[in-house]
Amino acid sequence: MSYKQKFWIRKAHRYLGLFIGLQFLLWTISGLYFSWTNLDDIHGDQFKKDMPSLVFDSLMLGSSSIFSEKIHTLELLEILETPYYWINQTKLINANTGVVKNGINENEALKISERHIVSGMKPKKVTLIERTDNHHEVRGKKFPLFAVEFEGDQRVVAYVSQKNGQFVSVRHNAWRVFDFLWMTHTMDYQTRDDFNTLLLRLFSLFAVITVMSGFLLWFNSSSSLKKLKKQLHKKR
């Protein structure tokens, strides 16, 4: 390889390394965090109770007036130990009385969150969330949701569906750190969940070029390899 070729490879390697060095660092830090953390803890399992399966003695199958519309989906849900039919993901009907329930209120959301969160944690605030942006910690969920905040350094927040009273998720500081690092790892700064962004593909390509140029420079400047080449040349 000529001196001029070495010069341009060395220059490309230097500037590519400078350009993607920060992203290399972010990939490494996020990778370390992912490998050293327990996903169950990230999901907040340490804050959630093991909920027993409830057994109901009997359920009302309903009348023609309740089921007059076409049924596409039908689920049996439990809200505060009471069975409900969740029809077409829009209508909530008491499975014992047939009465239609128009979602849950703030007090019910608080009780539901306390049933799912481990004992000893004290709720301090309940907020109804109608919609969020792409960076919110419950993005992608079906709204509206009640956010029940609990006291403590971990800033634990339980989310409960206002429409059908189901416990949706729990968020805390470790999850938020994971979510931020996941964004830097995937380089999806819009929704945080797309692993096929153009930016990630470009940086991955630049990373390969940087590494390969480094190998090429080493092979062309290694004194050990030069000595080995001379020895092989003499034997010939």
Side-chain angles (χ1 to χ4, degrees):
M1 185 178 290
S2 67
Y3 173 80
K4 190 174 183 180
Q5 288 175 322
K6 290 180 182 180
F7 171 79
W8 284 112
I9 292 175
R10 189 176 291 110
K11 196 165 187 177
H13 179 77
R14 184 189 307 134
Y15 284 103
L16 276 173
L18 182 65
F19 178 63
I20 67 172
L22 178 60
Q23 186 57 42
F24 266 141
L25 185 62
L26 289 172
W27 278 336
T28 304
I29 292 172
S30 57
L32 283 171
Y33 187 83
F34 299 155
S35 62
W36 281 74
T37 52
N38 187 321
L39 272 181
D40 291 334
D41 292 339
I42 297 300
H43 293 155
D45 290 352
Q46 69 274 30
F47 299 112
K48 294 185 287 187
K49 292 178 183 176
D50 293 327
M51 300 300 294
S53 299
L54 294 179
V55 178
F56 301 110
D57 294 332
S58 61
L59 299 173
M60 186 194 73
L61 295 178
S63 63
S64 58
S65 61
I66 295 176
F67 295 94
S68 58
E69 59 185 282
K70 289 184 178 180
I71 299 175
H72 301 287
T73 61
L74 175 64
E75 295 179 68
L76 179 63
L77 305 180
E78 174 264 330
I79 302 176
L80 298 175
E81 301 185 1
T82 300
Y84 285 86
Y85 292 120
W86 179 231
I87 302 175
N88 297 340
Q89 298 191 9
T90 57
K91 183 177 287 187
L92 195 63
I93 300 175
N94 190 305
N96 289 328
T97 64
V99 176
V100 177
K101 183 176 178 62
N102 188 25
I104 63 169
N105 56 39
E106 183 176 304
N107 186 53
E108 288 172 319
L110 181 61
K111 290 180 180 178
I112 292 168
S113 67
E114 288 179 318
R115 284 189 68 223
H116 284 80
I117 297 297
V118 293
S119 304
M121 299 189 66
K122 298 180 179 179
K124 65 177 182 178
K125 184 180 179 182
V126 182
T127 307
L128 180 63
I129 303 176
E130 299 284 353
R131 63 177 63 87
T132 65
D133 58 28
N134 290 332
H135 296 280
H136 196 276
E137 60 189 28
V138 284
R139 62 188 179 276
K141 305 296 184 183
K142 292 185 178 181
F143 295 91
L145 294 171
F146 280 107
V148 183
E149 300 178 36
F150 289 82
E151 296 178 358
D153 296 336
Q154 280 293 315
R155 293 174 52 223
V156 175
V157 182
Y159 292 94
V160 180
S161 171
Q162 189 274 332
K163 290 290 187 181
N164 62 14
Q166 298 306 289
F167 185 86
V168 175
S169 62
V170 59
R171 297 291 185 254
H172 54 102
N173 283 342
W175 185 95
R176 296 178 186 106
V177 173
F178 185 98
D179 187 50
F180 175 79
L181 291 176
W182 179 252
M183 177 186 70
T184 65
H185 201 79
T186 61
M187 300 188 75
D188 177 13
Y189 302 106
Q190 298 299 318
T191 64
R192 304 192 180 199
D193 298 315
D194 186 2
F195 211 84
N196 296 295
T197 61
L198 178 61
L199 190 62
L200 178 61
R201 290 173 177 176
L202 288 174
F203 267 77
S204 300
L205 180 61
F206 288 148
V208 172
I209 294 173
T210 303
V211 172
M212 294 306 294
S213 63
F215 283 145
L216 190 59
L217 287 172
W218 182 82
F219 279 118
N220 280 277
S221 61
S222 172
S223 58
S224 299
L225 284 178
K226 287 178 181 178
K227 289 178 182 179
L228 182 60
K229 286 179 182 179
K230 286 181 180 180
Q231 290 175 357
L232 291 173
H233 185 72
K234 286 179 180 179
K235 288 181 180 180
R236 289 178 184 176

